[in-house]
Amino acid sequence: ENPGTTKQRESLAEDLVEAEYTSGERMAQKLIDEYFPGHWTRMDVMKPPATLGQRCLRVLTSNVSRLGFVGDLPDEMFALVLFHVHWTDLRRLEALNKNRHSLFDAAWAKRCLSDFGFQTLPGAMKNWKELYDTKTKEVEMKNKSAVALLRGAYGKLDEKRKSRMVKCERTNNVHQRLALKLKKFGK
């Protein structure tokens, strides 16, 4: 009636904790099916409920586009939110929360690392946001020059294609076509 030994259940519990942090609920369900095929359902293994802090963090990260001035939100929680936002939201939040420079600098450092691979701030830059802006402008300029180069190449190909085309003049009037044919045969 009760499948699995205590050792199997302990092993399953350890694997479930690892699976929850790696690939989520689907992986946990696969492990349950592997250890106890056909015996357990999702309701048989209950994971502990999320803490209030975890729920708040989940709500904040899923609604980051609605955030504005965060006031007295603890720095530890706000830092976790900042590490998951898009750079446009990061820029907007920084403008609204001017008193948290160190948090935003750390968030820009993470963006520089993930987007451009910078692990240290070059000596010429004052802060990570400046580095991010500089590198973003460089990438935009490279993209624009690549687009211009491609447009020029396609323009040249189009000119070659048009020069190879045979122009075919067709007249709609039957009498004009007959007159052209007669001219060709010299009559």
Side-chain angles (χ1 to χ4, degrees), residues 119-167:
Q119 293 183 351
T120 59
L121 188 64
M125 300 294 168
K126 296 177 189 172
N127 56 29
W128 288 100
K129 181 181 178 184
E130 182 182 344
L131 176 65
Y132 191 87
D133 290 342
T134 303
K135 288 298 171 185
T136 304
K137 286 177 185 176
E138 285 178 13
V139 168
E140 286 177 10
M141 293 301 291
K142 287 180 182 178
N143 286 344
K144 284 181 182 180
S145 65
V147 166
L149 186 66
L150 285 173
R151 282 188 180 154
Y154 278 121
K156 290 177 184 177
L157 287 174
D158 195 37
E159 289 174 11
K160 283 184 181 179
R161 185 181 55 85
K162 285 181 181 179
S163 69
R164 291 186 209 145
M165 291 176 73
V166 176
K167 284 191 174 184

Side-chain angles (χ1 to χ4, degrees), residues 19 26 33 61 102 110 117 179 185:
R26 282 184 26 209
D33 294 341
T61 54
S102 61
K110 186 175 185 303
F185 295 115

Side-chain angles (χ1 to χ4, degrees), residues 28-88:
Q29 186 63 38
K30 284 182 183 179
L31 285 171
I32 291 171
D33 294 341
E34 179 184 323
Y35 279 96
F36 305 102
H39 292 288
W40 289 42
T41 63
R42 286 180 190 258
M43 296 307 292
D44 291 333
V45 177
M46 298 288 289
K47 59 183 176 182
T51 64
L52 181 60
Q54 290 169 339
R55 288 181 183 194
C56 290
L57 184 61
R58 189 179 319 137
V59 168
L60 285 172
T61 54
S62 61
N63 296 304
V64 74
S65 61
R66 297 178 183 179
L67 280 179
F69 177 70
V70 292
D72 292 332
L73 185 69
D75 286 347
E76 297 82 20
M77 187 172 286
F78 192 50
L80 292 173
V81 172
L82 288 179
F83 290 148
H84 297 287
V85 299
H86 190 262
W87 65 270
T88 55

